[in-house]
Amino acid sequence: MSEILVLYYSQGGAVRDMAQLIARGVESVKGVKARIRTVPKVSTNCEATEPDVPATGAPYAELKDLQECIGLALGSPTRFGNMAASIKYFLDGTTSLWLKGTLVGKPAAVFTSTGSIHGGQETTLVSMMLPLMHHGMIMVGLPYTEPELSSTTSGGTPYGASHVGGVADDRPITEDERKLCIALGKRLAETALKLAA
Ligand SMILES: Cc1cc2nc3c(=O)[nH]c(=O)nc-3n(C[C@H](O)[C@H](O)[C@H](O)COP(=O)(O)O)c2cc1C
């Protein structure tokens, strides 16, 4: 069974819930399974360490997850219009894979959640694409043939799936956002299967 790595960081749970929907889209494609992984929180306090195994939720990602999977969905909350440090920190540790060209030619998709509607979803999604393109990955976005891209009044962009959580981060994922998460996972899995054939 071919696998797609759904790798995310989430503090409040919004991006975690999106990851579950992306995984649902991935697994709607016959012959593809989603491997869900997260990354530890990093801190400006250098003495702080996280346990080896998270108390709840997805296991922490290892480099072998990137190696073994045929595609990657990468999710992060927006932090000042950019990806969260925890995701960037994990990516900065992938040099050995970059040197070997392990990810060259594999497809990738990105997703994010913001507090506000114009709080930097697109810049965050594009910032997440940059290191993946250095790795030689092929970006998969959302085309306007997905009707929800035009009907949404909250998240959902051609660059990847997104969600507007609200200032209190208490807005549920809307039906349009949900459908676009699933569509992105499905599109990524279909592309990965074709590229791996
Ligand atoms: C340090 C920090 C920076 C943030 N920067 C932004 C931002 O630039 N734009 C925005 O709309 N929301 C911003 N937010 C809000 C989060 O992106 C938003 O709450 C998101 O839905 C959290 O996802 P999560 O529930 O998966 O952790 C920020 C939150 C924190 C803690």
Side-chain angles (χ1 to χ4, degrees):
M1 178 79 79
S2 298
E3 289 183 83
I4 296 283
L5 179 61
V6 181
L7 175 61
Y8 72 92
Y9 173 70
S10 179
Q11 195 172 314
V15 176
R16 181 202 58 219
D17 294 347
M18 293 178 79
Q20 297 289 345
L21 292 165
I22 302 263
R24 197 190 301 177
V26 165
E27 296 195 346
S28 72
V29 178
K30 203 168 164 251
V32 190
K33 201 171 162 296
R35 185 185 298 194
I36 303 178
R37 295 289 183 270
T38 188
V39 295
K41 182 180 181 178
V42 295
S43 166
T44 46
N45 175 357
C46 295
E47 280 74 43
T49 54
E50 289 280 320
D52 288 344
V53 179
T56 56
Y60 291 138
E62 297 174 46
L63 292 187
K64 75 174 173 61
D65 294 315
L66 285 167
Q67 224 157 353
E68 290 168 1
C69 290
I70 61 168
L72 167 70
L74 185 67
S76 170
T78 289
R79 294 277 186 266
F80 304 118
N82 210 310
M83 76 182 100
S86 303
I87 283 288
K88 181 68 166 57
Y89 185 77
F90 178 81
L91 292 174
D92 284 358
T94 59
T95 314
S96 60
L97 300 185
W98 174 73
L99 285 169
K100 285 183 280 187
T102 307
L103 301 179
V104 172
K106 291 187 185 185
V110 289
F111 56 104
T112 191
S113 174
T114 54
S116 57
I117 195 161
H118 298 299
Q121 297 193 343
E122 283 94 341
T123 54
T124 301
L125 294 172
V126 172
S127 80
M128 294 166 76
M129 289 179 193
L130 300 179
L132 304 184
M133 294 187 83
H134 276 254
H135 269 291
M137 301 195 88
I138 296 166
M139 296 312 307
V140 174
L142 283 164
Y144 275 88
T145 44
E146 299 294 339
E148 294 78 18
L149 214 48
S150 300
S151 60
T152 183
T153 54
S154 51
T157 85
Y159 312 105
S162 62
H163 163 62
V164 180
V167 178
D169 226 355
D170 56 356
R171 281 161 61 159
I173 294 175
T174 67
E175 191 57 15
D176 283 342
E177 292 171 340
R178 194 182 75 83
K179 284 186 176 157
L180 290 168
C181 284
I182 293 171
L184 187 64
K186 182 168 184 276
R187 197 154 187 263
L188 175 64
E190 285 168 347
T191 306
L193 272 187
K194 281 182 201 159
L195 290 170

